[in-house]
Amino acid sequence: MKKAILHGCYDFNKDAVLVEMILDDTPQSIDWAGFVVPNAELDRMRWQCPYMEQYLSLEGTEKLCGTYDVPKKENMPTRVAFFLFKTEDEILSTPYGDFSIKNMTPMPERLANIIEFDEFD
């Protein structure tokens, strides 16, 4: 299994959590459909998935492309940031393993001016 590091789970606003990860994969190979927040009370088709995936430099100080784009270069590892709804659920299940999303910290200043956010529908 390819590996990943959960770099941070940040308290973005009253409704959203910003998750930052480093994935042992190329941007083009990431299977975003495999990222879910399991909830035993819901059908799997209703499990939460990432919102507004954004690709970052390895240092996490700049975006590599537009918010809805995928970088053209197939470099790895890939640093990403994405949003989830705040929830009582505690696990993010990914193709790279399961990660706790319950311990949120304040968002780092380095992300404040580069991360874009659209309100959830």
Side-chain angles (χ1 to χ4, degrees):
M1 175 189 303
K2 293 184 179 183
K3 298 180 182 176
I5 297 169
L6 178 65
H7 194 70
C9 189
Y10 310 121
D11 188 2
F12 186 77
N13 65 21
K14 68 180 183 70
D15 296 319
V17 173
L18 180 67
V19 177
E20 185 180 19
M21 299 183 81
I22 299 174
L23 309 175
D24 183 28
D25 219 337
T26 64
Q28 297 78 10
S29 298
I30 298 169
D31 177 13
W32 288 107
F35 286 68
V36 293
V37 178
N39 182 316
E41 296 177 12
L42 298 174
D43 180 90
R44 182 177 173 83
M45 294 300 293
R46 295 186 170 272
W47 288 357
Q48 186 177 177
C49 58
Y51 176 74
M52 290 191 73
E53 302 88 357
Q54 298 173 56
Y55 298 88
L56 307 176
S57 65
L58 284 181
E59 301 78 24
T61 56
E62 61 184 319
K63 286 176 56 174
L64 298 180
C65 58
T67 299
Y68 296 100
D69 297 327
V70 175
K72 294 186 187 316
K73 291 187 177 181
E74 293 190 17
N75 296 342
M76 55 185 285
T78 300
R79 190 173 194 139
V80 295
F82 54 86
F83 292 99
L84 295 170
F85 286 107
K86 286 185 177 172
T87 178
E88 296 297 318
D89 301 315
E90 300 180 353
I91 300 296
L92 172 65
S93 182
T94 77
Y96 311 91
D98 293 345
F99 300 89
S100 173
I101 54 172
K102 69 177 186 174
N103 297 319
M104 289 183 286
T105 60
M107 188 170 74
E109 193 62 36
R110 67 181 165 76
L111 296 176
N113 293 323
I114 63 171
I115 294 297
E116 292 182 48
F117 178 74
D118 290 336
E119 292 295 327
F120 294 108
D121 290 335

